[in-house]
mmCIF file of all heavy atoms in Angstrom:
data_model
loop_
_atom_site.group_PDB
_atom_site.id
_atom_site.type_symbol
_atom_site.label_atom_id
_atom_site.label_comp_id
_atom_site.label_asym_id
_atom_site.label_seq_id
_atom_site.Cartn_x
_atom_site.Cartn_y
_atom_site.Cartn_z
ATOM 1 N N ILE O 230 25.110 18.439 9.579
ATOM 2 C CA ILE O 230 24.376 18.009 10.763
ATOM 3 C C ILE O 230 22.946 18.543 10.727
ATOM 4 O O ILE O 230 21.984 17.830 11.009
ATOM 5 C CB ILE O 230 25.092 18.467 12.042
ATOM 6 C CG1 ILE O 230 26.269 17.534 12.337
ATOM 7 C CG2 ILE O 230 24.136 18.512 13.233
ATOM 8 C CD1 ILE O 230 27.045 17.894 13.577
ATOM 9 N N ARG O 231 22.818 19.831 10.351
ATOM 10 C CA ARG O 231 21.470 20.407 10.301
ATOM 11 C C ARG O 231 20.609 19.724 9.237
ATOM 12 O O ARG O 231 19.444 19.386 9.480
ATOM 13 C CB ARG O 231 21.558 21.902 10.020
ATOM 14 C CG ARG O 231 22.119 22.694 11.181
ATOM 15 C CD ARG O 231 22.166 24.173 10.875
ATOM 16 N NE ARG O 231 22.754 24.927 11.976
ATOM 17 C CZ ARG O 231 22.953 26.239 11.969
ATOM 18 N NH1 ARG O 231 22.605 26.947 10.896
ATOM 19 N NH2 ARG O 231 23.490 26.848 13.011
ATOM 20 N N VAL O 232 21.186 19.510 8.072
ATOM 21 C CA VAL O 232 20.426 18.854 7.000
ATOM 22 C C VAL O 232 20.027 17.444 7.414
ATOM 23 O O VAL O 232 18.872 17.032 7.257
ATOM 24 C CB VAL O 232 21.251 18.825 5.703
ATOM 25 C CG1 VAL O 232 20.554 17.976 4.642
ATOM 26 C CG2 VAL O 232 21.460 20.246 5.169
ATOM 27 N N GLY O 233 20.998 16.699 7.945
ATOM 28 C CA GLY O 233 20.706 15.330 8.363
ATOM 29 C C GLY O 233 19.645 15.275 9.451
ATOM 30 O O GLY O 233 18.754 14.422 9.424
ATOM 31 N N ALA O 234 19.721 16.201 10.408
ATOM 32 C CA ALA O 234 18.754 16.213 11.503
ATOM 33 C C ALA O 234 17.364 16.579 11.003
ATOM 34 O O ALA O 234 16.363 15.990 11.435
ATOM 35 C CB ALA O 234 19.200 17.188 12.587
ATOM 36 N N TRP O 235 17.268 17.533 10.071
ATOM 37 C CA TRP O 235 15.955 17.910 9.525
ATOM 38 C C TRP O 235 15.351 16.752 8.727
ATOM 39 O O TRP O 235 14.164 16.451 8.858
ATOM 40 C CB TRP O 235 16.078 19.151 8.639
ATOM 41 C CG TRP O 235 15.980 20.448 9.386
ATOM 42 C CD1 TRP O 235 16.942 21.398 9.519
ATOM 43 C CD2 TRP O 235 14.845 20.926 10.125
ATOM 44 N NE1 TRP O 235 16.496 22.445 10.293
ATOM 45 C CE2 TRP O 235 15.204 22.182 10.671
ATOM 46 C CE3 TRP O 235 13.577 20.418 10.383
ATOM 47 C CZ2 TRP O 235 14.325 22.936 11.450
ATOM 48 C CZ3 TRP O 235 12.694 21.168 11.155
ATOM 49 C CH2 TRP O 235 13.070 22.401 11.683
ATOM 50 N N VAL O 236 16.174 16.111 7.913
ATOM 51 C CA VAL O 236 15.675 14.969 7.132
ATOM 52 C C VAL O 236 15.203 13.856 8.069
ATOM 53 O O VAL O 236 14.132 13.258 7.880
ATOM 54 C CB VAL O 236 16.762 14.447 6.171
ATOM 55 C CG1 VAL O 236 16.339 13.110 5.550
ATOM 56 C CG2 VAL O 236 17.025 15.465 5.068
ATOM 57 N N GLY O 237 16.008 13.561 9.091
ATOM 58 C CA GLY O 237 15.635 12.517 10.038
ATOM 59 C C GLY O 237 14.382 12.859 10.818
ATOM 60 O O GLY O 237 13.522 12.000 11.041
ATOM 61 N N LEU O 238 14.244 14.130 11.229
ATOM 62 C CA LEU O 238 13.068 14.550 11.987
ATOM 63 C C LEU O 238 11.799 14.443 11.141
ATOM 64 O O LEU O 238 10.780 13.907 11.598
ATOM 65 C CB LEU O 238 13.251 15.987 12.481
ATOM 66 C CG LEU O 238 12.056 16.591 13.241
ATOM 67 C CD1 LEU O 238 11.759 15.777 14.495
ATOM 68 C CD2 LEU O 238 12.335 18.049 13.595
ATOM 69 N N ILE O 239 11.869 14.934 9.907
ATOM 70 C CA ILE O 239 10.700 14.858 9.023
ATOM 71 C C ILE O 239 10.341 13.401 8.741
ATOM 72 O O ILE O 239 9.171 13.020 8.759
ATOM 73 C CB ILE O 239 10.973 15.629 7.716
ATOM 74 C CG1 ILE O 239 11.085 17.127 8.011
ATOM 75 C CG2 ILE O 239 9.863 15.378 6.694
ATOM 76 C CD1 ILE O 239 11.576 17.955 6.842
ATOM 77 N N GLY O 240 11.365 12.581 8.493
ATOM 78 C CA GLY O 240 11.119 11.172 8.250
ATOM 79 C C GLY O 240 10.462 10.498 9.445
ATOM 80 O O GLY O 240 9.529 9.693 9.288
ATOM 81 N N THR O 241 10.908 10.838 10.658
ATOM 82 C CA THR O 241 10.333 10.258 11.866
ATOM 83 C C THR O 241 8.876 10.665 12.039
ATOM 84 O O THR O 241 8.022 9.846 12.398
ATOM 85 C CB THR O 241 11.140 10.693 13.106
ATOM 86 O OG1 THR O 241 12.493 10.247 12.957
ATOM 87 C CG2 THR O 241 10.566 10.117 14.382
ATOM 88 N N LEU O 242 8.566 11.934 11.778
ATOM 89 C CA LEU O 242 7.189 12.412 11.912
ATOM 90 C C LEU O 242 6.269 11.757 10.883
ATOM 91 O O LEU O 242 5.127 11.398 11.197
ATOM 92 C CB LEU O 242 7.152 13.934 11.763
ATOM 93 C CG LEU O 242 7.825 14.726 12.893
ATOM 94 C CD1 LEU O 242 7.848 16.210 12.558
ATOM 95 C CD2 LEU O 242 7.101 14.496 14.221
ATOM 96 N N VAL O 243 6.767 11.580 9.666
ATOM 97 C CA VAL O 243 5.946 10.942 8.633
ATOM 98 C C VAL O 243 5.717 9.466 8.967
ATOM 99 O O VAL O 243 4.627 8.926 8.762
ATOM 100 C CB VAL O 243 6.594 11.105 7.240
ATOM 101 C CG1 VAL O 243 5.813 10.311 6.186
ATOM 102 C CG2 VAL O 243 6.633 12.570 6.844
ATOM 103 N N VAL O 244 6.753 8.808 9.493
ATOM 104 C CA VAL O 244 6.589 7.406 9.911
ATOM 105 C C VAL O 244 5.526 7.299 11.000
ATOM 106 O O VAL O 244 4.690 6.379 10.988
ATOM 107 C CB VAL O 244 7.931 6.832 10.412
ATOM 108 C CG1 VAL O 244 7.704 5.518 11.156
ATOM 109 C CG2 VAL O 244 8.865 6.596 9.239
ATOM 110 N N ALA O 245 5.530 8.241 11.940
ATOM 111 C CA ALA O 245 4.527 8.223 13.004
ATOM 112 C C ALA O 245 3.126 8.401 12.425
ATOM 113 O O ALA O 245 2.173 7.721 12.836
ATOM 114 C CB ALA O 245 4.821 9.322 14.023
#
Side-chain angles (χ1 to χ4, degrees):
I230 281 180
R231 290 181 182 178
V232 172
W235 273 116
V236 170
L238 177 61
I239 293 170
T241 300
L242 292 174
V243 174
V244 166

